[in-house]
Amino acid sequence: MAQLPILRYPDPRLHKVAKPVEAVDARIKQLVADMLETMYESEGVGLAATQVDVHERLFVMDTSPEHDQPMVFINPQIVARSEELVIWEEGCLSVPQVWDKVTRNARVTVRALDREGAEFDIALDGLAAVCAQHEIDHLDGKVFVEYLSLLKRERIKIKMAKRAREEARGVA
């Protein structure tokens, strides 16, 4: 397994729409393993393939308290959404150290393939529902900061650009 580099906002590659995974083969299984390692090492609860510059419809997540229940979603689609909404303070491995409130559906049902290629449906609520919606947004080329006001987005872009310059100089 290998830890993968995570794209940082406002990298334009984060806005690419991911294509469906054509086959759950050895390459995809290795990508899943690498993404899980990357997510855990980065202390995240979810990671979309788009974030590691692979533009295929795949994400991993683990919202369990002990971080020991990894879930894999290949070619995910939301097939049902609750009318009830929740406001959740979200963060993102592609936008480190930035948190803000986003409104999402309180419950969703996701249909996907697992790491062996078997189709499943799962009803999610709470953090898991928010995480799945956040990661599917990544696969659709959308970053959570796009739910924020234009002013907030511009401030985040400036902050991220400054941080990238500092890291390039070895200041961070």
Side-chain angles (χ1 to χ4, degrees), residues 1-7 30-49 51-52 58-73 91-94 115 127-128 131-132 134-135 138:
M1 294 195 303
Q3 192 167 349
L4 304 169
I6 297 172
L7 298 177
Q30 184 61 55
L31 177 59
V32 164
D34 292 344
M35 287 176 60
L36 284 166
E37 179 179 340
T38 301
M39 178 188 72
Y40 287 126
E41 287 296 317
S42 302
E43 299 181 9
V45 296
L47 183 67
Q51 294 176 271
V52 295
L58 160 64
F59 76 87
V60 297
M61 75 176 196
D62 185 347
T63 58
S64 67
E66 296 80 24
H67 305 290
D68 61 355
Q69 296 174 32
M71 298 182 72
V72 175
F73 296 80
C92 181
L93 295 175
S94 291
R115 69 173 80 200
L127 177 58
C131 185
H134 177 112
E135 301 310 333
H138 275 301

Side-chain angles (χ1 to χ4, degrees), residues 128-142:
V130 168
C131 185
Q133 291 170 85
H134 177 112
E135 301 310 333
I136 290 171
D137 274 354
H138 275 301
L139 301 177
D140 293 335
K142 188 170 186 174

